[in-house]
């Protein structure tokens, strides 16, 4: 199995908390929900102890909101990627979140396609950041690009692609052109 990304989900509504945690794990097997929190202060304590790769957080919560949490998480050694989940379309919150290092701002209700896309983006960033050597960085970049980037579907592209040997065996098994 590929690398697992340790994830904390933060939401003050118990039903939404449980649902979001289940959806994350079911839509992308690379993400493992290691903890759930009902407010930002609890999440910060858990993140300090458990060192997650990713935190999905609601904006409005008691004791510490998602914006304050994202700011506090940035101060940790090896801070996690933070995605904010909100039911509010307030641009000021989105702007403040991005000032505090949040890279994804999702609006509730979140569709499976939207969540799957965000998980793919976060997973790609984390896979590259976890690489330890130059060759590993290149290998992961090739594999990520094969999964994430749209590939032209033309006969000429497929004939060139079929003749081009990729330097890593696992990348040769997932070529985008059928019959190549």
């Amino acid at each position: 199995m590929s690398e697992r990304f340790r994830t904390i989900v933060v939401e003050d509504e118990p039903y939404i908390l449980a649902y979001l945690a289940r959806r994350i794990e079911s839509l992308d097997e690379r993400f493992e929900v290691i903890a759930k929190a009902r407010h930002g202060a609890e999440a910060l304590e858990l993140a300090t102890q458990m060192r997650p790769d990713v935190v999905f957080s609601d904006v409005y919560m008691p004791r510490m909101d998602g914006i304050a949490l994202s700011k506090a998480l940035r101060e940790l050694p090896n801070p996690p990627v933070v995605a904010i989940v909100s039911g509010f379309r307030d641009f000021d919150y989105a702007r403040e979140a991005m000032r505090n290092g949040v890279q994804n701002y999702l609006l509730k209700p979140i569709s499976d396609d939207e969540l799957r896309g965000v998980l793919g983006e976060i997973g790609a960033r984390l896979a590259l950041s976890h690489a330890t050597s130059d060759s590993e960085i290149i290998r992961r970049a090739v594999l990520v690009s094969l999964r994430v980037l749209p590939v032209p579907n033309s006969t000429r592209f497929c004939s060139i692609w079929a003749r081009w040997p990729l330097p890593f065996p696992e990348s040769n098994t997932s070529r985008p052109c059928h019959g190549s």
Side-chain angles (χ1 to χ4, degrees):
M1 179 192 253
S2 63
E3 184 173 17
R4 300 281 296 204
F5 303 122
R6 299 164 50 83
T7 306
I8 293 177
V9 180
V10 191
E11 168 64 60
D12 60 329
E13 296 290 333
Y15 175 77
I16 297 172
L17 177 63
Y19 178 78
L20 185 56
R22 278 195 316 271
R23 296 311 303 147
I24 289 169
E25 288 186 327
S26 68
L27 292 173
D28 194 324
E29 67 183 19
R30 297 174 299 168
F31 290 80
E32 174 187 13
V33 176
I34 58 169
K36 299 176 209 164
R38 299 282 304 277
H39 53 78
E42 180 184 13
L44 182 57
E45 184 177 323
L46 289 167
T48 302
Q49 295 168 2
M50 304 178 91
R51 297 181 301 174
D53 298 303
V54 185
V55 173
F56 279 86
S57 177
D58 188 14
V59 171
Y60 293 110
M61 297 176 293
R63 296 188 57 193
M64 178 188 281
D65 68 21
I67 304 295
L69 173 62
S70 66
K71 188 174 185 177
L73 290 171
R74 282 183 51 189
E75 303 301 318
L76 296 177
N78 300 316
V81 173
V82 178
I84 292 288
V85 179
S86 176
F88 300 94
R89 296 180 183 272
D90 189 332
F91 180 72
D92 290 335
Y93 283 106
R95 182 177 43 220
E96 186 63 25
M98 294 195 193
R99 283 185 187 143
N100 287 297
V102 172
Q103 297 176 5
N104 297 91
Y105 193 93
L106 300 154
L107 290 173
K108 296 175 190 173
I110 306 166
S111 72
D112 283 355
D113 287 341
E114 183 179 16
L115 183 56
R116 188 179 293 111
V118 167
L119 292 169
E121 290 171 23
I122 292 171
R125 269 196 310 270
L126 288 172
L128 287 175
S129 71
H130 288 179
T132 56
S133 67
D134 289 347
S135 62
E136 180 67 6
I137 289 169
I138 293 168
R139 184 183 78 78
R140 289 183 184 210
V142 168
L143 293 175
V144 165
S145 68
L146 288 174
R147 287 189 210 118
V148 176
L149 296 177
V151 177
N153 192 9
S154 71
T155 305
R156 182 167 183 262
F157 173 81
C158 290
S159 68
I160 293 167
W161 184 254
R163 293 188 309 254
W164 184 54
L166 297 176
F168 314 106
E170 65 269 33
S171 60
N172 287 314
T173 62
S174 61
R175 297 219 176 215
C177 300
H178 299 294
S180 302

